[in-house]
Amino acid sequence: MIERETNDGIVTLRLAHGKANALDVELLEALIAALAAAADARAVILTAGGPIFSAGVDLFRLLDGGEAYVRRFFPLLTGFIRAVLAFPGPLVVASTGHAIAGGGVMLMGGDYRLMAEGNGRVGAPELLVGVPMPPAVLELVRAVVPPHRLNALLYQGRTYLPHDALANGLIDEVVPADALAARAHEVATQLAALSPGAFRLTKHMLRAPVLERIAASAAEDEEALALWIAPETHARIRDYLAKTVRK
């Protein structure tokens, strides 16, 4: 599910959860635990083992599990986003390919965000799917994406090829696919060489307001959850899957 290796104090967490690394209860639990276990690492690299970084929420699992499953999944998604935002050390995210919806948010949340050259896309088309972003997810996106790019990203659900993602501020660097792992380790090593205390405090000051807004969004969180479990939302998701997923 998540492969872990350590090299010179730098921990690499590699997603290996099916073909698409789709986010489900088990993967979110594993991600939260893996970040907690790596809190004292010099730096962490989050990447994937295949050509898809993450296709986002496992919508088929969500539909099959119904309300009971969504009520388990939803707080884990919020908890994972909080864990990403609050991770104290350098977090380098290296996308091997498609990073869509929750996968795109995971990529955008890194302290340095790399993406392999190719036809992989990054974006946050939740509204096209039929669900609202939970407040934690929206606050992360709002904190890291240039304000003038938010409407196209969120309302239009646009997804971007690597160089377009770079031009629109969703990532920091595009790298040849065969050099991605080495470049991610190089960036992680550079960040790890900074004063750990200075880095931690700087990151805390940058992200504390985001975490505070998330903590103050209980009402919106409940409203979003209600929409995620609503029958009409699940009907929209089924329609989206019928139009977009190859049989």
Side-chain angles (χ1 to χ4, degrees):
M1 187 174 296
I2 298 178
E3 300 169 351
R4 173 179 167 140
E5 62 182 57
T6 304
N7 182 359
D8 194 26
I10 295 172
V11 171
T12 296
L13 302 175
R14 188 173 294 106
L15 302 177
H17 190 54
K19 179 180 177 181
N21 293 314
L23 299 173
D24 57 16
V25 164
E26 292 77 16
L27 183 54
L28 287 173
E29 288 176 337
L31 280 165
I32 292 168
L35 286 177
D40 293 330
R42 296 179 63 224
V44 168
I45 299 167
L46 180 59
T47 188
I52 298 176
F53 176 64
S54 175
V57 174
D58 188 336
L59 296 173
F60 291 102
R61 181 86 181 275
L62 186 147
L63 293 175
D64 289 343
E67 179 176 343
Y69 177 81
V70 175
R71 288 189 180 278
R72 290 178 60 207
F73 177 86
F74 193 88
L76 285 170
L77 179 59
T78 295
F80 171 59
I81 295 301
R82 285 175 172 163
V84 168
L85 288 166
F87 188 77
L91 177 62
V92 176
V93 184
S95 175
T96 52
H98 293 303
I100 303 298
V105 174
M106 187 163 33
L107 170 59
M108 290 180 236
D111 298 310
Y112 197 87
R113 306 157 302 174
L114 300 153
M115 191 169 186
E117 286 183 334
N119 63 357
R121 287 184 171 271
V122 56
E126 277 82 351
L127 289 183
L128 298 185
V129 175
V131 297
M133 283 185 169
V137 177
L138 181 60
E139 291 298 344
L140 185 155
V141 172
R142 180 159 59 180
V144 301
V145 174
H148 66 291
R149 303 300 188 191
L150 281 174
N151 283 1
L153 182 72
L154 300 179
Y155 293 153
Q156 298 175 29
R158 292 189 60 181
T159 60
Y160 300 89
L161 291 167
H163 287 285
D164 292 329
L166 177 63
N168 282 278
L170 275 62
I171 60 173
D172 299 300
E173 188 175 344
V174 179
V175 185
D178 59 359
L180 182 67
R183 178 57 180 155
H185 196 271
E186 181 181 22
V187 172
T189 300
Q190 292 169 349
L191 293 176
L194 300 171
S195 162
F199 184 92
R200 184 177 295 109
L201 179 59
T202 301
K203 184 172 179 177
H204 170 75
M205 290 188 292
L206 283 171
R207 299 203 167 186
V210 186
L211 288 163
E212 289 169 4
R213 289 197 298 271
I214 293 171
S217 63
E220 291 83 1
D221 214 46
E222 286 297 320
E223 186 174 357
L225 174 57
L227 285 168
W228 273 58
I229 64 179
E232 56 267 30
T233 298
H234 288 207
R236 287 182 177 273
I237 294 172
R238 289 189 185 93
D239 184 57
Y240 172 82
L241 291 172
K243 293 176 181 177
T244 59
V245 177
R246 293 178 180 176
K247 301 298 183 183

